[in-house]
Amino acid sequence: MLLLAHPAGHSLSPLMHGAAFRALGLNATYEAVDVAPADLAAAVARLAEPPFLGANVTVPHKEAVAPLMNELTPAAQAVGAVNTIVRRDHRLVGHNTDGEGFLRALSELAPFAALQPADAGRGAAPDLTGRTCLVLGAGGAARAVVHSLLAAGAAVKVLNRNEARAARLVEDLQRVDADERRLTVCAASDLPAQLSHIDLLVNSTSVGMSGGPEPESLPLLEGSQLALLPPAAVVVDLVYRPALTPLLRAASQRGLVVQNGLPMLVWQGALAFEAWTGSAAPVEVMREAAERGLAGRPA
């Protein structure tokens, strides 16, 4: 298996999947490779032949790879991006496991674990009917998160620095979700009034990420505005470096339940693993490998 990226960077995915293959005794390997945009089509074409089972795809290729697939799952088609490629004979099927991975990560939090169907297994997506969510950002990660939240029954508001980009996201995904009242743009001027009605706040931007352009900043809001959230609100940051971002630190200081992006990373990887192998992913093995990698400890 490969991870197609540019640059390849320091991804935790090889550690997670390598640990999973070893745990199940599978004769498979996983390697992150740097693929320039000009070389993407050729790299993808090679995946259609053995011995490849498939690949993962990350920045900046998730959207560009979608037209190169023979088939897209409904989630990948709706989001317009692919993060997992599965080879079926000589055909390539594009999946997007980010959204489902996000929902499964939410299910680990007590407020959402209680919303899982009574007969659901571990990690099942919660039923978010009647919940209102605010997603910060309008990029590829935001699209996957918004799509998954809508599928789980939530109402979603999207806030972005470039309001026109947020409007495009809303317009695109409203074609999938017929109830336009459940997906709307949140104007920056409306944010203070909206926050008191939010059950879940999600940061899908890179603001607050170690090594990013704004590592000490809060995304699209001020720390004092977090006081406007209900006491039972949950704050999720898709960033996992650092483990406690400025947003999560400010939210936890106000007593709110918080989660960083590591559980989502693990669950989207587990779903990709299952799509490739047909075997149940050893989720805790993958989580431990990712945590070791973040801590700089050897596998």
Side-chain angles (χ1 to χ4, degrees), residues 6 23-24 31 69 82 98-99 131 157 165 222 229 249:
H6 184 64
L24 271 60
E31 178 186 0
M69 299 294 98
V82 167
D98 284 335
R131 306 294 169 131
K157 302 177 186 298
R165 193 177 188 197
E222 299 173 4
L229 288 168
R249 185 166 58 248

Side-chain angles (χ1 to χ4, degrees), residues 224-250:
S224 60
Q225 291 178 318
L226 293 173
L228 301 175
L229 288 168
V234 173
V235 178
V236 175
D237 198 326
L238 302 191
V239 172
Y240 54 83
R241 285 190 175 107
L244 198 64
T245 63
L247 174 63
L248 297 186
R249 185 166 58 248

Side-chain angles (χ1 to χ4, degrees), residues 20-200:
F21 293 144
R22 291 192 297 273
L24 271 60
L26 299 178
N27 183 21
T29 60
Y30 187 107
E31 178 186 0
V33 294
D34 192 323
V35 178
D39 300 326
L40 181 63
V44 168
R46 289 194 292 272
L47 298 173
E49 302 297 330
F52 294 107
L53 297 177
N56 277 143
V57 184
T58 190
V59 177
H61 300 314
K62 288 186 179 184
E63 294 181 11
V65 82
L68 303 177
M69 299 294 98
N70 300 112
E71 179 184 345
L72 295 174
T73 64
Q77 188 167 14
V79 174
V82 167
N83 79 322
T84 300
I85 300 171
V86 179
R87 181 175 68 83
R88 295 283 180 254
D89 294 324
H90 297 284
R91 292 175 56 81
L92 298 178
V93 181
H95 296 240
N96 191 303
T97 67
D98 284 335
E100 180 65 18
F102 172 79
L103 290 179
R104 295 200 182 198
L106 275 189
S107 73
E108 296 184 0
L109 297 173
F112 295 112
L115 301 178
Q116 291 176 290
D119 58 348
R122 182 179 177 279
D127 180 358
L128 299 179
T129 303
R131 306 294 169 131
T132 301
C133 308
L134 175 64
V135 175
L136 308 179
R143 285 175 172 265
V145 167
V146 170
H147 178 258
S148 68
L149 288 170
L150 291 171
V156 184
K157 302 177 186 298
V158 180
L159 175 67
N160 194 55
R161 284 176 179 168
N162 183 333
E163 193 169 313
R165 193 177 188 197
R168 285 195 297 273
L169 183 157
V170 167
E171 181 181 357
D172 289 346
L173 291 184
Q174 278 178 345
R175 297 192 188 107
V176 179
D177 183 80
D179 187 351
E180 296 183 357
R181 296 168 299 178
R182 288 206 298 127
L183 178 58
T184 56
V185 174
C186 177
S189 58
D190 292 338
L191 180 60
Q194 295 291 340
L195 284 172
S196 62
H197 305 289
I198 299 301
D199 300 298
L200 172 66

